[in-house]
Amino acid sequence: VASDNSSIKRSSIPKPNSIDVHHHLIPDFYRKALSKLNIKAAGGFPLPAWSPLQSQRLMNNFGIGTAILSISSPGIHFGDDAAARDISRQSNEYCAKVISDNPSRFGAFAVLPLPDVNGSLKEAEYALDTLKLDGVVMLASQSDGTFLGDNKYDDLLAELDKRKTVVFIHPTTHPTSKELQLNIPEGFIEFPFDTSRAAFNLVWTGAAERYSKIRYIFSHAGGTVPFLAGRFSLLDYDYRFRKRAPLGAMAYLKRFYYDLALSANPYALRSLQELVGPEQILYGSDNPFANSYLVSAGIDFINKYDGYSDDDRKLIFRSNALKLLPRLQKLTES
């Protein structure tokens, strides 16, 4: 772990208040691994600078008591299972060290070497049982083009279901998106659709029914899920779909959790409010991909938004995350 952690005195760290479930890490070893593959951007933008100290400075500035770290797009699997397993293990052990240095300030979702299912099963066991990380992060789509919900992932989902795991789903650029003749950075258009396809596919394939104990958090207010939920629910009239999803599409979409990273605006929140109540919504900053201006603007909007009461904001900024993440709850109680 970088030595910059030590420059912040423990006595100066405030007690946790807001909990940020959408907070990324870009450690040097990961950046170097990407550079060797000539990958220097994510979502159409250069990889930003990051360190644990950078995170803590931003957290202190914006009242974030605890940040849950996760690897973002472009992920860790680029066709080589062994290389992906190595990066996932290195990343998860790095996160465990960051947490050990500052247990009240950081948590982490373990990255898995998907679409390598066997490697992911082994890494999930190690990360959750040995490292005691707070859940797992999965990209909505994988390097082989498959989406979460594909039956090739059933064994992994079954294991995570037994553990009642928190699964944080983050978008990436699907292989087919690279063929589109658009010059818009993928993070603005392709990411929301990638998230939406994963959410809808989990319901469509019946995975959300079969593995109902998994607690999913979907990034960026679910992408386009709130807006398209009504259209998707028309599938309820298809008896084949109802056999896989007997509760009806809307019931499963309403079970999911949604974070507000880069989505604290009236267009997203009005639609999200129609889908789920405040008890299913979590705060996320998207640091370091979101700069301080965007983080400040997002928090300010949530605090002023007329659709939420003060009690709703307490749920969004803190209480909902505490219910999902038992380790943080224990820290608070102690």
Side-chain angles (χ1 to χ4, degrees):
V1 177
S3 61
D4 55 13
N5 254 1
S6 61
S7 63
I8 295 182
K9 296 180 180 179
R10 291 181 184 273
S11 60
S12 68
I13 297 173
K15 292 182 179 180
N17 34 68
S18 298
I19 299 174
D20 179 359
V21 302
H22 191 140
H23 197 108
H24 298 303
L25 72 154
I26 311 175
D28 288 342
F29 66 83
Y30 176 53
R31 191 185 301 272
K32 289 176 182 177
L34 293 178
S35 182
K36 288 181 180 179
L37 297 169
N38 200 31
I39 299 173
K40 300 179 180 179
F45 291 94
L47 291 172
W50 177 85
S51 70
L53 180 60
Q54 180 272 336
S55 281
Q56 289 183 80
R57 284 173 173 165
L58 178 129
M59 292 159 66
N60 291 341
N61 287 338
F62 296 109
I64 299 169
T66 307
I68 312 300
L69 300 172
S70 61
I71 290 286
S72 179
S73 177
I76 62 168
H77 197 292
F78 305 98
D80 185 331
D81 284 354
R85 291 184 185 191
D86 287 344
I87 296 175
S88 66
R89 178 60 55 91
Q90 193 172 2
S91 175
N92 294 333
E93 290 184 337
Y94 177 89
C95 285
K97 182 64 167 65
V98 173
I99 295 170
S100 176
D101 288 346
N102 292 279
S104 68
R105 307 248 45 204
F106 289 108
F109 295 130
V111 65
L112 306 179
L114 289 173
D116 171 15
V117 174
N118 288 334
S120 294
L121 281 165
K122 293 176 182 176
E123 190 59 30
E125 180 181 11
Y126 177 72
L128 297 174
D129 291 346
T130 301
L131 300 180
K132 307 294 184 183
L133 299 187
D134 298 288
V136 302
V137 56
M138 298 181 183
L139 294 180
S141 64
Q142 307 305 318
S143 57
D144 64 354
T146 56
F147 284 90
L148 297 183
D150 190 292
N151 60 14
K152 74 178 290 182
Y153 302 120
D154 278 0
D155 288 347
L156 177 60
L157 294 185
E159 179 61 27
L160 297 176
D161 184 71
K162 284 193 296 185
R163 297 169 174 270
K164 300 180 181 180
T165 310
V166 174
V167 175
F168 176 65
I169 296 181
H170 194 281
T172 191
T173 303
H174 190 269
T176 59
S177 294
K178 299 172 183 176
E179 301 172 8
L180 299 175
Q181 296 185 31
L182 288 173
N183 290 322
I184 304 171
E186 299 99 323
F188 284 90
I189 300 298
E190 302 309 311
F191 276 23
F193 287 111
D194 200 57
T195 301
S196 305
R197 290 175 180 127
F200 290 138
N201 200 48
L202 283 164
V203 179
W204 166 254
T205 61
E209 166 67 20
R210 296 194 303 277
Y211 312 114
S212 60
K213 296 184 181 69
I214 295 174
R215 280 84 57 77
Y216 291 104
I217 302 171
F218 284 89
S219 299
H220 310 123
T224 66
V225 167
F227 181 80
L228 294 176
R231 185 181 181 95
F232 184 72
S233 69
L234 295 176
L235 287 168
D236 290 350
Y237 295 101
D238 185 325
Y239 74 93
R240 297 166 299 178
F241 173 65
R242 284 304 290 262
K243 287 179 68 175
R244 297 191 297 269
L247 300 181
M250 204 64 76
Y252 301 100
L253 298 177
K254 287 180 178 293
R255 283 182 182 174
F256 297 153
Y257 290 83
Y258 301 86
D259 80 41
L260 297 184
L262 296 179
S263 303
N265 61 71
Y267 314 102
L269 289 194
R270 297 292 183 200
S271 184
L272 184 59
Q273 274 190 286
E274 293 297 320
L275 180 62
V276 294
E279 66 279 357
Q280 298 295 117
I281 301 174
L282 302 157
Y283 172 69
S285 71
D286 219 332
N287 179 72
F289 293 94
N291 60 27
S292 292
Y293 171 78
L294 293 174
V295 174
S296 176
I299 292 172
D300 188 58
F301 184 85
I302 296 169
N303 282 328
K304 295 179 179 178
Y305 180 56
D306 62 9
Y308 293 140
S309 67
D310 287 343
D311 287 340
D312 293 338
R313 280 182 269 273
K314 290 177 183 177
L315 292 173
I316 293 166
F317 278 115
R318 181 172 174 80
S319 299
N320 292 338
L322 283 178
K323 291 179 182 178
L324 285 175
L325 306 171
R327 185 185 65 85
L328 296 184
Q329 198 167 30
K330 291 177 182 177
L331 283 174
T332 302
E333 291 171 351
S334 62

